[in-house]
Amino acid sequence: MKLLALETSSLACSVALQLGGDIFEAHEVQPREHTKLLAPMIRDVLRDGSVKLADLDAIVLGNGPGSFIGLRIAASVAQGLAHGAGLQIVPVSSLAAVAAEVFAVSDADEAIVAQDAHMNEVYLGAYRRNDADLPELMFAERLHGHMMIDELDGESVERRVAAGSGWQRYHELAAMNSALIGEQVDILYPRARFLLALGTDALERGDV
């Protein structure tokens, strides 16, 4: 599978190219610099992979939830590239990308992802590891305030981790749910490389 992934929903601007088993990546945490960074990053990974856009199977788009301006940047670029090269776009949850990284680097069974939505709220997504080691939704993603996450129980807490910038931004949220979370990991923002497996799965299902 040959895929280009774009992710700009957070403070991180991230691009990844998959060519079979090889992945080329550019990733920077640079607030308000996405418009400057994204196009050069795309050119760099395509050059590193010695491939042209028209040779790809699809573009995988980090679809938020997240910053409206950031999402608009990646969506506009993805639409332009896809139209010009005759490619399909595969939208993938940016929260799920964070969970995918958690599952790739740990033995956690569940990842509770919270990204800063401002106004004392977070974008919340809860995922369990499926048989393919990919994140599977436990309940619908949503805006969530400083309160208990009612859907979580006290079972398997030691294999449940919290990830995303929202936990660090809102300490009250972390404190209220501390008995339901086994560990908080330092994975703050989605990376495009972790959209790729999710994009492959969605593309094979025809979710484009």
Side-chain angles (χ1 to χ4, degrees):
M1 194 75 72
K2 298 177 181 178
L3 300 173
L4 176 70
L6 310 180
E7 169 55 56
T8 60
S9 69
S10 71
L11 299 185
C13 185
S14 192
V15 174
L17 173 68
Q18 175 181 306
L19 301 175
D22 296 323
I23 295 177
F24 304 89
E25 179 187 29
H27 179 90
E28 290 190 37
V29 178
Q30 291 284 355
R32 295 178 296 278
E33 296 292 327
H34 294 19
T35 52
K36 297 178 182 178
L37 292 172
L38 186 58
M41 283 182 169
I42 293 170
R43 287 196 296 268
D44 287 347
V45 297
L46 291 173
R47 182 198 62 221
D48 293 344
S50 301
V51 68
K52 297 179 181 179
L53 270 173
D55 298 326
L56 303 179
D57 295 304
I59 295 173
V60 183
L61 175 64
N63 203 34
S67 160
F68 172 75
I69 293 175
L71 289 168
R72 185 174 61 181
I73 291 168
S76 299
V77 171
Q79 286 180 324
L81 295 176
H83 178 74
L87 300 174
Q88 294 179 312
I89 295 176
V90 185
V92 173
S93 165
S94 300
L95 298 179
V98 176
E101 182 171 0
V102 170
F103 295 150
V105 302
S106 76
D107 62 354
D109 290 330
E110 297 179 4
I112 314 302
V113 182
Q115 294 288 59
D116 186 9
H118 305 292
M119 301 296 290
N120 292 314
E121 291 182 310
V122 296
Y123 300 113
L124 181 71
Y127 307 87
R128 62 173 55 89
R129 185 193 297 267
N130 68 15
D131 292 339
D133 289 328
L134 294 177
E136 180 179 286
L137 268 174
M138 297 166 59
F139 51 84
E141 297 172 352
R142 65 170 183 252
L143 276 172
H144 189 84
H146 295 175
M147 61 188 76
M148 295 282 289
I149 303 173
D150 292 335
E151 293 89 345
L152 301 182
D153 57 35
E155 298 180 6
S156 304
V157 171
E158 69 280 359
R159 302 294 292 274
R160 179 185 297 148
V161 304
S165 64
W167 296 104
Q168 294 191 357
R169 175 70 174 81
Y170 299 113
H171 298 292
E172 301 94 332
L173 177 66
M176 286 181 179
N177 291 279
S178 60
L180 302 173
I181 303 292
E183 180 185 3
Q184 184 173 322
V185 296
D186 192 28
I187 299 174
L188 301 182
Y189 308 115
R191 296 184 76 105
R193 70 180 297 130
F194 295 101
L195 292 171
L196 292 167
L198 292 164
T200 298
D201 183 60
L203 185 59
E204 290 174 347
R205 295 195 311 270
D207 293 340
V208 298

